[in-house]
Amino acid sequence: MAPASLPVVKLVPSPLGSPEFEAQRQTLIEEFSAKVPQAYHVPSSTIDQPPQNVMSVPRECGILSTEEIDITENFDAVALAAAIAQKKFTAVAVATAFAKRAIIAHQLTCCLTEWFMDEAIDQAKALDEHLAKTGKTVGPLHGVPISVKEMIPLAGHHSSLGFLITRHIDDKDSHMMAILRHAGAVFYCKTAQPQGVMHLETVSLYGRVLNPFNINLTAGGSTGGGAALLAMRGSVLSMGTDIGGSIRAPAGFCGLYGFKATSYTLPTRDFVGPSGFAAELNILGSTGPLGVLLRDMDFFVSVLKQRNHIWMTRA
């Protein structure tokens, strides 16, 4: 028997393209759905008649354990890194909690484009083994889960500019992702962006991203998926990009902190080429994080700035 399709809240139908386009889009949705265990499906009654504010659904739907609710709701990135280093939580427990909460958030806000829980747990297991064997973390982000905007290359996963024709699998991490991985970050999902990555709302190939505080409103764009996910505590740090507000607007819409660094202060190699973003005109593009507390912005930037020199000469 084929697995049940993953239910996702959709208040209005997505704009339709050609029959060929819709067939390809449906294939993407079905491939995504097939990766999600039935045990992580939000009850259909909630999907069919969602509350206007869906923020409480993850803790009330019965999918998360008490510990998983604690991990995802009561720690920012700084505190979570410390808790893992002090062995209060294993990296596996943290990866599991955030991956589960992320897929709950997606069903309520349509915030993801990829979800790879098994890969994240494998990465987390290796980190736990290293800590158990050496008594040391691999770096300051040891076990910290980070969600990644779809356009940012991550080895073995799809990136795009929001158009089907630009969608492809990357064979290596982008410069920034390599630094974060080396520092111990765990990757478990990619987040939705609009076509062209140039809108202050987010309608991806998978549907319209909804604001979890009021699903009748937008989560913003173009890092709307990352903002909706983070607001629902399905992430503790979310990677975005920004030219004219693509980090700052979603952060504001979803009650978060977002930081647009001075252009090219943070590494953008492999997704912002020498000529800049594809949509860049007279304003230089940038990258940066979204987080739940201001100190997470400092934490994230300090990790990249301290370690960037290690990677400057690497291909």
Side-chain angles (χ1 to χ4, degrees):
M1 180 181 294
S5 179
L6 183 70
V8 177
V9 172
K10 293 185 183 295
L11 299 185
V12 295
S14 296
L16 295 178
S18 68
E20 294 79 11
F21 174 87
E22 290 305 320
Q24 292 180 65
R25 177 159 69 172
Q26 187 58 36
T27 297
L28 297 183
I29 293 171
E30 290 173 357
E31 289 174 349
F32 187 117
S33 181
K35 296 177 182 178
V36 183
Q38 182 72 37
Y40 298 163
H41 285 208
V42 173
S44 59
S45 57
T46 302
I47 301 298
D48 294 340
Q49 293 185 310
Q52 180 172 285
N53 183 324
V54 297
M55 291 290 289
S56 65
V57 174
R59 79 175 71 95
E60 296 172 352
C61 66
I63 296 172
L64 300 175
S65 69
T66 300
E67 182 181 70
E68 288 165 348
I69 293 171
D70 180 34
I71 289 171
T72 52
E73 292 191 359
N74 296 323
F75 295 83
D76 66 334
V78 173
L80 193 59
I84 296 169
Q86 295 161 9
K87 300 183 180 180
K88 179 175 181 177
F89 303 122
T90 65
V92 167
V94 171
T96 300
F98 277 97
K100 288 173 66 175
R101 191 153 184 145
I103 203 61
I104 296 169
H106 175 69
Q107 293 170 78
L108 299 165
T109 64
C110 199
C111 57
L112 304 183
T113 61
E114 279 192 86
W115 182 77
F116 33 98
M117 180 178 183
D118 291 345
E119 180 180 321
I121 290 174
D122 287 344
Q123 188 182 354
K125 284 179 180 177
L127 293 171
D128 285 336
E129 290 169 1
H130 176 90
L131 182 58
K133 182 177 180 179
T134 67
K136 298 178 181 179
T137 62
V138 301
L141 292 173
H142 184 107
V144 175
I146 295 181
S147 51
V148 182
K149 190 173 183 177
E150 185 192 3
M151 71 174 289
I152 301 174
L154 188 66
H157 297 283
H158 289 93
S159 65
S160 80
L161 294 176
F163 302 101
L164 275 174
I165 197 171
T166 64
R167 192 171 184 268
H168 64 279
I169 295 178
D170 293 294
D171 59 5
K172 67 174 184 176
D173 289 335
S174 62
H175 183 187
M176 180 168 60
M177 293 299 102
I179 296 173
L180 296 176
R181 193 188 295 274
H182 188 261
V186 173
F187 305 119
Y188 61 108
C189 65
K190 299 199 81 173
T191 62
Q193 61 191 26
Q195 286 189 338
V197 205
M198 277 290 287
H199 301 278
L200 290 177
E201 66 172 342
T202 301
V203 182
S204 78
L205 295 170
Y206 296 83
R208 185 181 303 275
V209 178
L210 308 178
N211 190 312
F213 292 101
N214 183 342
I215 59 173
N216 296 304
L217 303 178
T218 179
S222 63
T223 316
L229 177 66
L230 189 62
M232 294 206 71
R233 300 310 298 264
S235 180
V236 71
L237 277 172
S238 196
M239 279 310 310
T241 58
D242 194 314
I243 295 178
S246 287
I247 289 173
R248 294 161 290 165
F253 288 8
C254 293
L256 305 166
Y257 287 93
F259 179 60
K260 177 187 183 291
T262 299
S263 299
Y264 306 128
T265 301
L266 299 182
T268 55
R269 193 169 66 200
D270 305 315
F271 65 97
V272 180
S275 59
F277 284 100
E280 194 170 276
L281 297 174
N282 297 320
I283 303 174
L284 295 175
S286 182
T287 187
L290 295 88
V292 294
L293 290 182
L294 182 59
R295 69 176 184 172
D296 286 346
M297 306 295 96
D298 289 334
F299 179 44
F300 178 89
V301 172
S302 68
V303 170
L304 282 174
K305 296 299 290 181
Q306 290 167 7
R307 290 173 170 257
N308 189 34
H309 70 280
I310 301 172
W311 299 86
M312 286 301 290
T313 60
R314 298 193 181 190

